[in-house]
Amino acid sequence: MKRILTLMLMLAMVITISAEKKAKYVFYFITDGTGVNTVLGAEMYNAEMQGRIGRVPFCMTSFPIVGVASTYSNNSGVTDSAASGSALATGVKTENGALGMRPDLKTPVTSLAVWAKEAGMKVGVASSVTINHATPAAFYAHQPKRSLSYDIAKDMIATDLDFYGGSAVEKAEDPKNHPGAPCIYKEMEKAGYAVAFGMADYQKKAKKAKKMLLVQDPKHLNPASDIYSLPYAIDVKDGEMTIEDILRAEIEFLMRDNKNGFFLMNEIGGKVDWACHGHDGATAFAEVGAVDRCIKIAYEFYKQHPDETLIVLTADHETGGLVLANNGLYALNLKALGNQKVSIDGFTQVLRDLRKQTSNKVTWEQAKQALTDNFGFWTALELTKDEEASLQKVWHESFEGKAEDVKNEYTANEPLAEEARHIINTKALISWSTNGHSAGLVPVYAIGVGSEQFMGHNDNAQIPVKIAKAAGYNIPGYLK
């Protein structure tokens, strides 16, 4: 009996000590548009590329805590990124399109980033797309509409976090809606931020900077990208800044002269959503791979501080309704996607370059060579007579000026690029059920202090509250 009492006392002490631990370093990762099938598909693709059926587990899926989250907003079963980002940031469900506000679209609510700042933490918010895009903006902005880019950027200054990072500030100047208003980059500098354009500039400015805004260097823009996003992982070229670069800079900057700890939010998969809107399977899976490379960076940090670190990864919603099947066949052929060398946006740029080179007189032989080089058609991937005829028909209509670009949520692509996408997806035996978002469950992966809270089914609005509890931040009374 005495031994049993002693063991019970020891167990109680362990539980008490565990309960007293706080997460000094918090990594909160969001991968936009990434459902359960998006991650599983990428793992199964990697297995097929190794010549077997199964999955190659990612670092994130190997975390000890695995759960799911529902994503509905206050006014819709299918959320947009602003409402879901706000739920993930503030713990409050709001209307689609709103950022950091109650459903009345008048009352602001504070975010996990602000709770961390008030607790004495250094705080960073970053994204692989623009820093004032919906998901990152939810952590500092209070606006009724996500389209108010300039006003959202001003909120970035007002919230005064330590580090912001992304591809750019969208509408840093907005003469149409804000005539005569100053450039946000200049306003950031006035507010005490060092503004770095690219990693080389960051290295020059970081040591003396007290606050930082890191965006990509316009000199390294990829023709397949634009100023509003970092390039897709499948398209990235030497010299272009990646989300891994931003994450390393964010960690390094927040750790400098830091005794209290940090809270770091990074939308490491902002363009998974973009690829899924465009039903670009190969590009989406490559983006998930980039997400996991970021998780590995955080995991290396965790191994150095295992008793002080919490890593949580989730998504704001699912996009595209990815189905890992096609035509009723009990099979997959994901390795076919390994023949795609560029994103569909990237192949559109290839075709536009051909138009320029030929004064818009691209021959079928030139188009066919481009398709072979970038999709493996006719070499690695055999085409049926119907598939070849379909490509040739689209080429003829497109270059005769009878077919317009095909638009999706973020881009407009050449018809021939879209037809190539359709064919390679069909050969991979994957399909899509929507061009937009869905209410599908999204994954939640966690490791570290307080991670056990995330096991099972989470609602997205519960996640910031659970993180705050693990880190010891003061939670607003309306959430208790």
Side-chain angles (χ1 to χ4, degrees):
M1 179 64 71
K2 186 176 180 180
R3 185 179 179 185
I4 292 174
L5 289 172
T6 302
L7 288 172
M8 290 178 65
L9 180 60
M10 290 176 64
L11 179 60
M13 289 175 64
V14 169
I15 293 172
T16 302
I17 291 169
S18 177
E20 290 176 350
K21 284 184 180 178
K22 301 297 181 186
K24 182 177 181 181
Y25 306 110
V26 176
F27 293 83
Y28 191 11
F29 292 118
I30 299 172
T31 175
D32 199 324
T34 306
V36 173
N37 271 6
T38 324
V39 177
L40 176 60
E43 291 185 319
M44 295 183 74
Y45 164 77
N46 289 336
E48 286 200 24
M49 292 301 289
Q50 293 181 2
R52 62 184 179 85
I53 294 173
R55 52 185 281 267
V56 177
F58 285 123
C59 179
M60 56 187 169
T61 61
S62 302
F63 280 0
I65 302 300
V66 177
V68 293
S70 46
T71 64
Y72 57 87
S73 70
N74 183 71
N75 68 324
S76 177
V78 179
T79 189
D80 85 317
S81 293
S84 58
S86 294
L88 290 168
T90 70
V92 174
K93 297 271 191 181
T94 190
E95 308 286 287
N96 281 2
L99 291 166
M101 304 191 85
R102 289 188 181 279
D104 62 10
L105 305 185
K106 296 177 181 178
T107 309
V109 286
T110 57
S111 79
L112 185 54
V114 173
W115 309 342
K117 190 73 175 175
E118 290 174 347
M121 305 296 118
K122 287 192 175 182
V123 179
V125 170
S127 175
S128 59
V129 295
T130 51
I131 187 56
N132 51 340
H133 208 256
T135 302
F139 285 80
Y140 60 79
H142 309 285
Q143 297 294 337
K145 295 181 181 179
R146 60 182 289 181
S147 59
L148 300 173
S149 300
Y150 189 86
D151 298 296
I152 291 168
K154 289 196 297 183
D155 283 348
M156 181 167 59
I157 298 171
T159 304
D160 197 34
L161 303 180
D162 299 285
F163 180 100
Y164 293 105
S167 59
V169 175
E170 187 171 0
K171 292 186 180 178
E173 293 180 89
D174 188 9
K176 180 180 178 181
N177 299 304
H178 296 272
C183 174
I184 291 296
Y185 292 123
K186 292 181 180 178
E187 291 299 288
M188 292 287 283
E189 289 176 338
K190 286 182 182 177
Y193 286 87
V195 179
F197 293 90
M199 293 308 299
D201 198 29
Y202 169 79
Q203 296 298 340
K204 291 178 183 176
K205 296 176 177 177
K207 289 183 180 179
K208 295 181 180 179
K210 293 183 178 179
K211 297 182 291 185
M212 173 63 66
L213 169 63
L214 171 60
V215 294
Q216 67 177 339
D217 184 348
K219 294 178 182 178
H220 292 299
L221 286 176
N222 188 322
S225 179
D226 57 49
I227 197 166
Y228 298 118
S229 66
L230 299 181
Y232 281 120
I234 199 172
D235 293 329
V236 69
K237 302 291 189 300
D238 290 343
E240 294 177 329
M241 189 168 68
T242 66
I243 191 59
E244 298 101 298
D245 292 330
I246 292 180
L247 176 58
R248 289 190 183 96
E250 192 175 11
I251 295 169
E252 186 271 335
F253 193 84
L254 296 179
M255 281 295 285
R256 187 177 299 143
D257 300 322
N258 186 349
K259 295 179 181 179
N260 294 335
F262 64 64
F263 168 80
L264 175 160
M265 194 294 294
N266 198 312
E267 188 190 20
I268 52 179
K271 291 189 75 172
V272 176
D273 176 68
W274 294 30
C276 291
H277 272 295
H279 295 177
D280 189 349
T283 300
F285 291 164
E287 287 299 292
V288 175
V291 166
D292 200 57
R293 289 195 293 276
C294 289
I295 295 300
K296 287 178 180 177
I297 293 169
Y299 183 62
E300 288 303 314
F301 183 99
Y302 163 81
K303 288 194 294 185
Q304 299 298 316
H305 310 273
D307 297 325
E308 300 178 294
T309 303
L310 171 64
I311 303 173
V312 179
L313 168 68
T314 191
D316 52 359
H317 52 75
E318 193 277 341
T319 299
L322 174 63
V323 180
L324 299 172
N326 199 325
N327 294 329
L329 299 175
Y330 285 35
L332 283 172
N333 185 35
L334 299 176
K335 63 180 180 293
L337 298 175
N339 296 291
Q340 184 175 325
K341 305 305 179 187
V342 294
S343 67
I344 300 305
D345 295 1
F347 189 63
T348 286
Q349 189 61 47
V350 169
L351 294 176
R352 288 174 181 166
D353 289 343
L354 272 175
R355 286 182 183 273
K356 290 179 183 178
Q357 294 164 16
T358 63
S359 299
N360 209 32
K361 296 179 180 179
V362 179
T363 66
W364 170 239
E365 288 71 22
Q366 290 170 317
K368 187 174 180 180
Q369 188 61 55
L371 288 163
T372 300
D373 292 343
N374 291 284
F375 294 92
F377 293 165
W378 296 284
T379 53
L381 290 176
E382 237 181 88
L383 296 185
T384 66
K385 288 183 179 179
D386 287 346
E387 288 168 341
E388 181 167 356
S390 178
L391 286 168
Q392 196 160 6
K393 179 176 182 290
V394 172
W395 159 79
H396 180 73
E397 292 176 348
S398 176
F399 289 93
E400 286 291 321
K402 297 176 182 177
E404 297 181 353
D405 285 353
V406 180
K407 295 181 180 179
N408 62 52
E409 184 74 11
Y410 289 104
T411 57
N413 286 313
E414 288 269 353
L416 190 59
E418 286 296 320
E419 185 63 19
R421 173 199 58 75
H422 171 72
I423 288 173
I424 200 165
N425 278 349
T426 301
K427 288 191 172 298
L429 299 177
I430 63 172
S431 54
W432 306 79
S433 62
T434 177
N435 291 314
H437 301 172
S438 80
L441 292 171
V442 297
V444 180
Y445 306 114
I447 190 171
V449 180
S451 59
E452 66 280 353
Q453 300 177 90
F454 301 96
M455 180 69 77
H457 192 121
N458 302 268
D459 182 81
N460 59 359
Q462 297 172 335
I463 293 176
V465 177
K466 291 179 179 181
I467 291 175
K469 288 178 179 177
Y473 307 154
N474 185 43
I475 300 169
Y478 52 80
L479 293 175
K480 293 178 181 177

